[in-house]
Amino acid sequence: MEFITWQESMSVGIPMIDQDHKTIMKLINFSHQQIKDDHKDKILSSALNALIDYTLYHFTREEKLMADNNYPGLEDHKLQHQVMIDEIKRLETKYNEQGHEAFEEVSQFLSDWLIKHINGTDKQYTKHLNDCGIY
């Protein structure tokens, strides 16, 4: 059973962004499965690094799309991304210090934040970007 599941109601109506969100969910699910299967810290660390790297890539790509299309809420959106990046770094440090026990907190935070962010902030740019011809 998946830890976090994509729902069509999460779609922001922009295929490349939806695909990024689905990829992040897959990485969260993979990471969570590694915890459940009690894999070694080396595998968990690699899974966490892949999840963080892809999330940062997605933020950069999403922000560029908004900047290229003069989205008026870009600065607020970037601030929300920065808050999330800061929290990821805090949790990564906690994981590096505490190991396996902290990993579940990381995956729970990421899944909760992602769903809230998609259904809240990300949906706010949908109309603007679609009006600009992004779909």
Side-chain angles (χ1 to χ4, degrees):
M1 179 176 193
E2 292 183 330
F3 180 65
I4 182 172
T5 305
W6 174 261
Q7 306 290 323
E8 280 307 311
S9 62
M10 296 176 182
S11 174
V12 296
I14 301 166
M16 77 175 192
I17 298 299
D18 285 345
Q19 190 56 51
D20 280 359
H21 291 157
K22 290 175 186 177
T23 299
I24 293 168
M25 286 183 179
K26 286 178 185 174
L27 290 167
I28 290 170
N29 285 330
F30 176 78
S31 300
H32 191 73
Q33 189 62 48
Q34 301 314 300
I35 295 167
K36 287 178 67 176
D37 292 346
D38 201 27
H39 281 273
K40 302 280 187 236
D41 283 339
K42 186 174 181 178
I43 294 170
L44 287 173
S45 182
S46 293
L48 178 61
N49 287 335
L51 178 56
I52 291 170
D53 289 348
Y54 195 87
T55 300
L56 296 176
Y57 162 76
H58 164 69
F59 286 170
T60 300
R61 190 155 97 141
E62 189 177 64
E63 290 170 8
K64 182 178 182 334
L65 185 64
M66 287 186 266
D68 289 350
N69 290 280
N70 301 310
Y71 176 61
L74 173 60
E75 292 308 313
D76 288 338
H77 203 99
K78 286 170 78 170
L79 286 174
Q80 287 189 22
H81 284 171
Q82 189 57 54
V83 167
M84 201 254 196
I85 290 166
D86 293 345
E87 183 63 9
I88 288 173
K89 288 179 180 177
R90 184 191 73 75
L91 290 169
E92 182 179 28
T93 299
K94 185 175 181 178
Y95 169 76
N96 288 334
E97 292 170 355
Q98 296 178 4
H100 195 98
E101 308 85 52
F103 198 90
E104 194 156 354
E105 181 182 353
V106 174
S107 61
Q108 186 65 54
F109 167 76
L110 290 171
S111 64
D112 290 347
W113 189 90
L114 182 64
I115 291 169
K116 288 177 188 171
H117 187 71
I118 291 170
N119 287 325
T121 308
D122 281 357
K123 294 245 177 145
Q124 293 174 3
Y125 63 65
T126 300
K127 182 178 179 342
H128 178 85
L129 293 181
N130 283 329
D131 287 349
C132 292
I134 306 297
Y135 20 71

